[in-house]
Amino acid sequence: GAGVSQSPSNKVTEKGKDVELRCDPISGHTALYWYRQRLGQGLEFLIYFQGNSAPDKSGLPSDRFSAERTGESVSTLTIQRTQQEDSAVYLCASSQGVHRPAGYTFGSGTRLTVV
Amino acid sequence: DAKTTQPNSMESNEEEPVHLPCNHSTISGTDYIHWYRQLPSQGPEYVIHGLTSNVNNRMASLAIAEDRKSSTLILHRATLRDAAVYYCILSRVGGSQGNLIFGKGTKLSVKP
């Protein structure tokens, strides 16, 4: 597609439920990134993929968070047993490569609210 | 990656130029300087990047100091739509860290 697509755009879930957030990167972009942004805060890096592999998982806040990418395309971020502190906008970005100064293109994000 | 320092906020008048400063005194020779901006309720948007020479594109200009320890993003004529948080970020080509680290940025307000 022309841009990075994220779905759903909004998600309200009950505490303790699992959620899956989806990101469709720009076609041909080999690198994909997930960030989290709490209300009024800056961007917090979660994880990135080069192809289908994730060399750096250190940003994931806890073992309740996991992510995968298949076919060097779609990525899903899964949060298990959601907590209220997981409420945030989850942003996905893609770029042509990791170790090049290529610009990131961000999606519009998924606003997650845990009630 | 090396750290950047930006003012928390700046104000500008519409249709006037804006100079957004960024200090990066520990920059290394292979670090690129990137600028992104985030409009309210949107994801960040790429603005410009450079290595050593000044850069111009349709959105802005990037002026890089000769010693590369600072840079300035220049919006030639601010519009109300330019009100956003502007992030100055360094990234190292071939470095071990594959992602861009966003700091707190500069919140730019534009007055009509």
Side-chain angles (χ1 to χ4, degrees):
Chain A
V4 176
S5 177
Q6 291 188 248
S7 61
S9 54
N10 278 286
K11 176 74 176 178
V12 179
T13 189
E14 291 181 352
K15 179 180 171 182
K17 300 278 190 186
D18 298 352
V19 295
E20 269 193 7
L21 312 179
R22 176 186 169 109
C23 174
D24 277 281
I26 290 174
S27 179
H29 277 193
T30 60
L32 185 148
Y33 314 82
W34 285 97
Y35 289 83
R36 175 170 75 176
Q37 188 169 35
R38 291 192 167 114
L39 187 64
Q41 304 295 311
L43 274 76
E44 176 187 3
F45 167 72
L46 298 179
I47 191 170
Y48 84 91
F49 290 88
Q50 175 58 41
N52 292 333
S53 66
D56 181 7
K57 299 182 181 178
S58 62
L60 294 176
S62 75
D63 58 8
R64 296 186 295 105
F65 287 71
S66 63
E68 65 174 19
R69 188 180 185 196
T70 55
E72 295 199 355
S73 181
V74 173
S75 176
T76 54
L77 177 69
T78 302
I79 309 173
Q80 295 178 308
R81 305 181 303 280
T82 51
Q83 304 293 313
Q84 286 185 328
E85 64 260 27
D86 299 334
S87 296
V89 175
Y90 289 81
L91 291 158
C92 174
S94 70
S95 70
Q96 289 181 330
V98 170
H99 296 299
R100 298 191 302 181
Y104 284 27
T105 302
F106 279 83
S108 298
T110 293
R111 182 176 298 277
L112 175 66
T113 304
V114 182
V115 297
Chain B
D1 287 324
K3 189 178 174 181
T4 63
T5 304
Q6 298 177 255
N8 290 334
S9 62
M10 290 184 63
E11 275 191 357
S12 172
N13 293 317
E14 196 176 12
E15 298 190 5
E16 289 186 357
V18 182
H19 290 231
L20 296 161
C22 181
N23 287 321
H24 28 78
S25 57
T26 59
I27 192 170
S28 79
T30 56
D31 285 338
Y32 278 80
I33 303 160
H34 299 251
W35 283 83
Y36 283 75
R37 72 179 185 181
Q38 187 172 21
L39 302 172
S41 302
Q42 294 188 28
E45 172 186 34
Y46 168 80
V47 177
I48 201 166
H49 78 274
L51 184 61
T52 56
S53 303
N54 295 343
V55 185
N56 299 296
N57 66 21
R58 64 176 180 80
M59 289 180 72
S61 295
L62 176 60
I64 302 173
E66 199 169 326
D67 64 4
R68 302 213 319 130
K69 295 189 176 187
S70 65
S71 61
T72 303
L73 180 70
I74 303 166
L75 308 178
H76 295 286
R77 286 184 69 213
T79 69
L80 297 178
R81 196 194 170 274
D82 291 323
V85 177
Y86 287 78
Y87 299 97
C88 170
I89 306 162
L90 301 183
S91 72
R92 185 163 300 168
V93 175
S96 59
Q97 191 159 31
N99 56 293
L100 296 181
I101 297 177
F102 287 75
K104 296 192 174 174
T106 297
K107 184 173 183 178
L108 175 67
S109 303
V110 180
K111 296 185 289 185

